[in-house]
Amino acid sequence: MPSLAPLAAASPVIQLHVAGAALALGSGLAVAMLPKGTTLHRRLGWVFVPAMAAAALSSLGIARSGHYSAIHLLTLLTLVSLPYAVLARRRGNIAAHRSAMIGLLLGLVIAGAFTLLPGRLMHAVALGAAAEAH
């Protein structure tokens, strides 16, 4: 049975990371399904961007045994891709904007899927099983 207890017991940086990722996932999926260029699409896009930034920046405070892992390369890619995507849209390069945003959303989904592996915090949250908070 799902339980928020493991998340409540996690460090504040992990809680911020999960909150940012969850908000980015919800807003990103909504934006992806909405008609493009609408006011709602733009407003939810402005929820997605800072939520992704919060998830990426907070990940820098999460290190396993004091060391960063390969997944932190996604952090760097995210921190470069977010401003690129916004700038591309502002310059009218919709194709580049769309490509960057799709890449960001796919990266988020893939990274999120790995958090559901046994021994991970979100596995414990989703399944109520004992897991380490990483």
Side-chain angles (χ1 to χ4, degrees):
M1 175 180 269
S3 170
L4 291 177
L7 184 56
S11 71
V13 71
I14 290 175
Q15 293 172 354
L16 174 63
H17 182 71
V18 171
L23 185 57
L25 181 62
S27 60
L29 290 174
V31 167
M33 292 186 287
L34 286 169
K36 306 309 173 242
T38 64
T39 299
L40 185 56
H41 173 91
R42 286 189 302 275
R43 286 186 179 162
L44 285 176
W46 281 115
V47 171
F48 176 78
V49 170
M52 278 295 289
L57 290 170
S58 62
S59 77
L60 296 173
I62 304 169
R64 196 173 211 175
S65 302
H67 296 93
Y68 291 122
S69 67
I71 197 84
H72 285 91
L73 293 175
L74 286 176
T75 297
L76 297 176
L77 183 59
T78 298
L79 293 174
V80 169
S81 296
L82 276 172
Y84 171 79
V86 171
L87 188 59
R89 173 59 191 98
R90 290 195 176 191
R91 291 182 172 169
N93 189 344
I94 303 304
H97 171 75
R98 178 178 39 251
S99 177
M101 288 300 191
I102 289 170
L104 285 161
L105 186 57
L106 286 175
L108 176 63
V109 169
I110 291 166
F114 280 105
T115 69
L116 296 173
L117 292 173
R120 304 293 301 214
L121 175 68
M122 296 312 293
H123 181 268
V125 170
L127 301 176
E132 295 178 49
H134 345 146

